Amino acid sequence: MTQDNATTTTSPEKAQTSKEREAACILCGKCVSVCPVYLSTKQEELTPKAKQRTIAALKENTQQLKVTDCTKLAEMCLSCGKCAKTCPQGLNFPQQLANMRAAHPGWKQWMWKRWINQGAVLWPMLSTLSKAAPDSKGKNEATRLVQSIQAMQPATDIPAYISVATYDKEIGEGQHALLFSGCTANRVQKSWKYKSESILKNLGYTLLPTKDLTCCGLTLDHAGAPEAAHKSRMQNLRAWRAAERPLIVTFCATCYLGLAEYVRDDSLGWAEGEQEAWSKALRPISTLWGNSLFTVDTPSNLVIRYHQPCHWHGNDLDYTWLKEILYDEISSPDSASCCGMGGIAQLGNRKLTRKVATRCWENLLQQPPKKDDSIPCYSKPMGNCLCDLYDDEDELESDLCTEIESTYLVITGCSGCTLQLRGTAPVCNGEKVKVGHWLDIIEP
């Protein structure tokens, strides 16, 4: 069997290790404490352990489970992977649901594959057309869809508060690198790609052509499209091999995780020692600065909040670097919250993704600014502010509305999180909270 036609590890049999197949949920509840769906809805039937029990019960009588039931169950997960990381039994529930999606494909899988694989034309076109749409502030689904599409437009109103004073040119001297920009940067956020290319060149790296690189495959896998995911992985791996296995640099947490998981896929036809070489070659750009020096210039009323992407799984290398540069100019919520992106969940359950985003925004904005003694005021209801993220049937006290003199800027290190947060950003003091990738605040 050739590498291109090899079966993928995302089949139910190969996606789980022997330990996972033998293990069973022990109802310890550790997944409950980290699941963004439960934390946002407080519905215990939506916890990973509850869904595990449902799947286990239905395995004994598969006739009880209809295709519509499978679809509804699969849509109640955002594939953040937090439950898998905390499970003492090593169960990977998001992968189980991905297998379920693959076993019961429908129009959502068809649509998502085209959204990812044919987005080179579709994304820029929609982004351009959305500029003509009015800046609507309603709550209906059509308005929110327009807001999500408008979020694809590049940020032009975020100043570069960090500039590179001196580059450590010895870091990349004599080394070749492939910049893995990912779908979002290649299609609608090209400034991230251009800035990253400039940074790497200034650090001494020789950049190699990247025209053969494609989607990392992670979102396709989660969507239940394992064949498309496998095809993307093989294409990226062939490009790396053809370039003689250079450094692979990325600036997106989701892309980094998707690429890092390649080594678990034995169907990619790895040569001896190649998996280890791949792992060593994969680097976030935020870890390559060496002894470079920076200058920082932020206004006194600016509060920079950092959203930690779920796909870093608690080891956020971007935030570690930003904290070293910005010190107390930047802060992050004590407990990281999922933004609600969820990939294909945007097609299947947008109401759920919005509810999760609301909780994320509460954590991002409700902590008092640390740069002065001003205290957020939650007593005055404001039109079109944080409460506009909630549906009418959601319970919300008016004291959750925010009126803050300080100006908030939210940055993150994930392409998908950036778009989701932009599309759901609340309004404070009459202006929508600005959201950007951390590359947006850097002047190379």
Side-chain angles (χ1 to χ4, degrees), residues 41 48 85-86 104 107 116 174 206 208 243 246 270 274 292 316 342 369 374 414 429 434-435:
T41 64
K85 286 296 180 180
T86 194
H104 302 278
W107 69 269
I116 297 299
T206 300
L208 301 175
W270 297 98
E274 211 175 29
S292 301
D316 194 327
S374 61
C414 173
N429 292 336
K434 295 178 181 179
V435 177

Side-chain angles (χ1 to χ4, degrees), residues 192-261:
W192 302 346
K193 177 181 178 180
Y194 299 149
K195 284 189 177 184
S196 296
E197 289 175 341
S198 177
I199 290 169
L200 291 173
K201 289 177 181 178
N202 287 330
L203 287 172
Y205 289 98
T206 300
L207 295 184
L208 301 175
T210 58
K211 61 182 179 63
D212 293 329
L213 295 177
T214 185
C215 173
C216 68
L218 184 65
T219 185
L220 291 167
D221 198 10
H222 288 169
E227 295 84 3
H230 179 75
K231 184 177 179 180
S232 292
R233 294 189 186 107
M234 283 304 312
Q235 183 171 331
N236 292 328
L237 187 55
R238 285 196 298 267
W240 179 66
R241 287 167 172 160
E244 300 183 350
R245 300 169 178 80
L247 201 69
I248 313 168
V249 182
T250 185
F251 47 79
C252 172
T254 295
C255 290
Y256 181 85
L257 176 62
L259 295 170
E261 289 191 344

Side-chain angles (χ1 to χ4, degrees), residues 30-197:
K30 289 187 175 181
C31 61
V32 177
S33 64
V34 298
C35 176
V37 173
Y38 169 73
L39 294 174
S40 301
T41 64
K42 299 302 180 183
Q43 294 180 246
E44 293 193 13
E45 66 271 20
L46 299 183
T47 63
K49 72 171 186 177
K51 295 172 188 172
Q52 289 276 10
R53 294 195 68 178
T54 300
I55 292 176
L58 290 168
K59 282 180 179 179
E60 300 177 3
N61 189 351
T62 56
Q63 298 302 316
Q64 293 180 0
L65 188 62
K66 300 177 182 179
V67 173
T68 53
D69 297 327
C70 292
T71 301
K72 289 179 180 178
L73 185 62
E75 288 173 354
M76 293 296 181
C77 176
L78 300 176
S79 301
C80 68
K82 290 184 176 182
C83 60
K85 286 296 180 180
T86 194
C87 179
Q89 295 290 89
L91 296 173
N92 190 335
F93 180 65
Q95 186 60 60
Q96 292 180 40
L97 287 188
N99 298 336
M100 185 178 291
R101 292 184 181 111
H104 302 278
W107 69 269
K108 297 182 184 69
Q109 278 81 9
W110 181 89
M111 182 72 73
W112 194 254
K113 282 191 288 186
R114 277 146 188 80
W115 177 251
I116 297 299
N117 292 334
Q118 298 175 14
V121 175
L122 184 60
W123 292 23
M125 179 184 68
L126 288 175
S127 177
T128 300
L129 290 175
S130 70
K131 295 179 181 179
D135 190 12
S136 179
K137 302 176 181 178
K139 297 181 181 180
N140 62 71
E141 191 58 33
T143 296
R144 289 175 170 174
L145 180 60
V146 171
Q147 291 171 345
S148 296
I149 296 174
Q150 288 177 330
M152 293 194 298
Q153 298 175 19
T156 58
D157 56 351
I158 300 179
Y161 298 112
I162 302 174
S163 59
V164 186
T166 306
Y167 281 94
D168 185 350
K169 296 183 179 294
E170 295 182 0
I171 291 294
E173 187 176 358
Q175 295 191 59
H176 293 81
L178 281 172
L179 176 63
F180 193 93
S181 301
C183 301
T184 303
N186 279 326
R187 296 167 181 176
V188 290
Q189 303 291 327
K190 295 187 178 182
S191 65
W192 302 346
K193 177 181 178 180
Y194 299 149
K195 284 189 177 184
S196 296
E197 289 175 341

